[in-house]
Amino acid sequence: MQLTELIRTLDSWLEPWRFKDYAPNGLQVEGRAEVKRVVCGVTASQALIDAAIERKADAVLVHHGYFWKNEDSRITGIKRARIASLLAHDISLIAYHLPLDGHAELGNNAQLGARLGCVADGQGGEQNLLWHGHLPEAQSAANFAKSISAALGREAVLLGDEGAMIKRVAWCSGGAQGMFGDAIALGVDAFVTGEVSEQNTHQARESKVAFIAAGHHASERYGIQALGDHLSAMTGLEVEYVEISNPI
């Protein structure tokens, strides 16, 4: 498959033009023109690039790529080493940030909700990235947090009353702790995201809405896996997800 065709295909599925994002979506580093083998991962770290080199991949497809707004634009240090590795082996870097969060089926939020056992009822918040829904049966906040820990393979942090009953849930993968206020306004019983900030403790106590931090990386594994599986099924490309562990 030609690289240009691959980008057109991914763009047609994820529609990056619908989002106001913090980094460029799509092709970030151009490699060889023909793509047969793709390595997927959450973040374009050096470890993931090394895995792609080892597997003789033609492209790396990730959720977290490079060239974020407000970061140093110079290609030095860690960024230089990563890009040098890609260019030396003629490997393309392709990244989709908010478009992968928001996709209705393949996205991080869609995939996270399914793993939490939530039935999605709708989307709202900034750029429709805050999902909300309900559990089939109410359960205590403590039990809900335990089920999340088991589903994602990472100990979740629960803020709020462990005994509170949870039925209505809002969620947004990654670093969406700033959306807690929007979730509270929806009238939910719990909000699930990846990361936590100091003020979330007080918000949870005072609003009586449970806050559960499930891990940024852990909550965003599944969108890129779903995208990779879909890409392989639809195009015949050899696509492999590589897990690079991250406790955050």
Side-chain angles (χ1 to χ4, degrees):
M1 186 177 200
Q2 293 298 299
L3 176 61
T4 52
E5 182 185 357
L6 173 58
I7 299 302
R8 283 197 300 269
T9 298
L10 291 168
D11 281 353
S12 71
W13 294 342
L14 298 174
E15 300 179 321
W17 49 84
R18 296 195 299 113
F19 296 88
K20 184 179 180 181
D21 214 335
Y22 315 105
N25 287 294
L27 184 62
Q28 292 191 338
V29 178
E30 184 178 357
R32 61 182 63 94
E34 186 175 4
V35 178
K36 296 179 179 178
R37 184 173 298 160
V38 179
V39 160
C40 292
V42 176
T43 299
S45 63
Q46 187 66 55
L48 185 67
I49 295 168
D50 291 343
I53 294 169
E54 180 182 349
R55 289 160 174 78
K56 301 186 186 305
D58 305 300
V60 174
L61 176 62
V62 297
H63 179 49
H64 299 138
Y66 305 154
F67 310 113
W68 299 93
K69 291 180 180 177
N70 300 321
E71 75 173 8
D72 190 340
S73 61
R74 295 174 297 173
I75 300 176
T76 60
I78 290 173
K79 187 189 294 184
R80 178 197 179 280
R82 292 174 174 179
I83 293 174
S85 296
L86 291 167
L87 293 176
H89 293 86
D90 214 11
I91 297 173
S92 295
L93 174 63
I94 306 166
Y96 290 93
H97 184 230
L98 295 184
L100 186 57
D101 286 323
H103 193 276
E105 297 175 1
L106 304 174
N108 285 321
N109 288 324
Q111 295 292 317
L112 177 61
R115 279 163 177 76
L116 300 185
C118 296
V119 179
D121 294 326
Q123 298 165 245
E126 183 181 354
Q127 301 191 71
N128 271 343
L129 293 172
L130 178 64
W131 286 47
H132 58 92
H134 64 277
L135 298 174
E137 295 184 5
Q139 56 184 287
S140 71
N143 285 341
F144 186 40
K146 286 179 182 177
S147 71
I148 293 172
S149 298
L152 303 188
R154 179 194 184 277
E155 192 69 23
V157 175
L158 169 62
L159 306 178
D161 181 1
E162 293 185 355
M165 297 305 292
I166 307 300
K167 180 69 173 181
R168 296 193 61 206
V169 182
W171 66 94
C172 184
S173 68
Q177 61 267 51
M179 289 187 176
F180 191 23
D182 294 329
I184 293 169
L186 290 172
V188 299
D189 305 308
F191 174 60
V192 182
T193 187
E195 298 186 28
V196 61
S197 295
E198 186 273 343
Q199 66 268 22
N200 298 138
T201 297
H202 307 292
Q203 289 175 297
R205 290 171 179 168
E206 295 168 29
S207 68
K208 311 301 182 186
V209 175
F211 181 103
I212 301 174
H216 193 135
H217 176 85
S219 68
E220 295 196 322
R221 286 192 194 107
Y222 305 106
I224 196 67
Q225 291 181 32
L227 179 61
D229 289 344
H230 187 67
L231 179 62
S232 179
M234 297 300 292
T235 66
L237 289 173
E238 182 181 338
V239 182
E240 179 183 356
Y241 171 79
V242 176
E243 171 70 4
I244 305 297
S245 63
N246 188 331
I248 302 302

